[in-house]
Amino acid sequence: MSDSIDVTLGNIYAKMHKHFGPQNRWLAETPLEMMIGAILGQNSSWVNVDKALASLREAKLLEVEKILTTPLDRLADYLRPAGYYNIKAQRLRNLCQCINDLTGGNVEKFLAFDQVELREILVSVKGIGPETADSILLYAAGQPVFIVDSYTFRIFYRHQLLADSVTYYELQELFMDNLSHDVQTFHEYHALLVLVGKKFCRKSHPLCSKCPLQEYAGWVPSVEE
DNA sequence: CACCAGGCAAGTA
DNA sequence: TACTTGCATGGT
């Protein structure tokens, strides 16, 4: 077909990268801070997560031991700006308890577990689901896993690039089967999807004609053998 | 004012 | 298994 366009996940990435340029995403100062940020970021804006992280840092609570020993209601108080502060305080506790149990509180050792094993450990922690686990794997452990989030679903669904019934793992598999497993690329791809989602693919809005991915709407991404 | 933000677990049928 | 609901502050 002379008028067909080549729709691959690589081309979609290239299109976004050309439109927005490279992304310098926020990165926490330490791996533990990354993990905490991943939990605080659940269904919350990062502006507010940063405030919570800053107050934790100010109070010198960014340590496994401190999070385990600080009274839950006091810990929760620092988390207020991030929302869901009671639940998130407990979730931070659960993660730190897990790190303590497995490696005596040694974060480096904890993150050095084999990728598959670490993922199983993470999702077994109450309060850590698929996306939070993958965020920790990519950003804190430096493992090449693709993070699927609500923006990823919404952007691809709205452009009719996938059925609404696909699961987290099916979509993750699609990306990981068709992209090179490169940490930096996965960082960038995810960041660009978040950007496109915020700018051109918001909830309760129709397909946006200004979206750089608009020309791909209705095509089925070709898959490598 | 209404709506939304880089989810997750628990409850219901 | 497949929905629905609670959690909560702060920005647009």
Side-chain angles (χ1 to χ4, degrees):
Chain A
M1 299 291 282
S2 58
D3 61 344
S4 70
I5 55 175
D6 190 17
V7 181
T8 64
L9 294 177
N11 285 346
I12 289 170
Y13 173 80
K15 176 69 77 178
M16 292 191 294
H17 193 273
K18 186 179 177 186
H19 192 89
F20 290 109
Q23 298 305 301
N24 297 310
R25 288 200 63 231
W26 166 81
L27 291 176
E29 292 176 13
T30 68
L32 180 62
E33 197 171 321
M34 294 287 331
M35 291 194 277
I36 292 172
I39 288 175
L40 297 185
Q42 292 168 352
N43 202 38
S44 300
S45 73
W46 282 89
V47 177
N48 295 330
V49 171
D50 269 339
K51 292 176 185 169
L53 271 178
S55 59
L56 284 177
R57 195 181 305 118
E58 172 76 21
K60 303 202 179 300
L61 291 182
L62 290 173
E63 296 170 29
V64 172
E65 185 64 22
K66 287 288 182 54
I67 288 173
L68 288 175
T69 55
T70 301
L72 212 52
D73 57 345
R74 196 165 88 85
L75 181 60
D77 214 39
Y78 293 102
L79 307 183
R80 276 185 168 275
Y84 305 134
Y85 51 87
N86 289 310
I87 267 184
K88 284 174 178 175
Q90 183 62 60
R91 289 178 180 177
L92 293 187
R93 271 281 182 82
N94 296 344
L95 172 62
C96 288
Q97 188 62 57
C98 178
I99 296 170
N100 214 33
D101 291 346
L102 291 179
T103 66
N106 186 325
V107 175
E108 300 296 319
K109 260 173 81 178
F110 180 79
L111 291 173
F113 275 105
D114 167 79
Q115 180 186 124
V116 175
E117 194 179 357
L118 180 54
R119 194 177 200 291
E120 285 174 1
I121 292 167
L122 287 168
V123 295
S124 77
V125 174
K126 190 184 288 186
I128 295 183
E131 187 191 333
T132 306
D134 287 333
S135 298
I136 290 172
L137 283 168
L138 180 66
Y139 292 111
Q143 296 289 341
V145 297
F146 193 91
I147 302 169
V148 176
D149 61 15
S150 56
Y151 289 121
T152 316
F153 279 109
R154 192 159 74 232
I155 291 167
F156 276 69
Y157 176 67
R158 189 166 298 170
H159 289 267
Q160 300 170 269
L161 298 169
L162 51 76
D164 60 357
S165 58
V166 297
T167 65
Y168 183 97
Y169 295 108
E170 287 169 343
L171 189 49
Q172 181 178 49
E173 204 178 337
L174 180 68
F175 280 94
M176 296 193 64
D177 284 351
N178 290 282
L179 295 169
S180 60
H181 290 195
D182 174 63
V183 171
Q184 191 56 34
T185 303
F186 286 167
H187 276 235
E188 291 285 300
Y189 209 137
H190 183 237
L192 286 164
L193 283 173
V194 170
L195 204 51
V196 167
K198 284 182 176 174
K199 206 162 172 57
F200 298 112
C201 209
R202 295 179 61 84
K203 267 187 187 173
S204 57
H205 281 278
L207 186 62
C208 177
S209 61
K210 290 182 180 178
C211 180
L213 302 182
Q214 198 270 341
E215 66 177 280
Y216 294 134
W219 295 84
V220 178
S222 57
V223 171
E224 294 172 18
E225 282 306 314

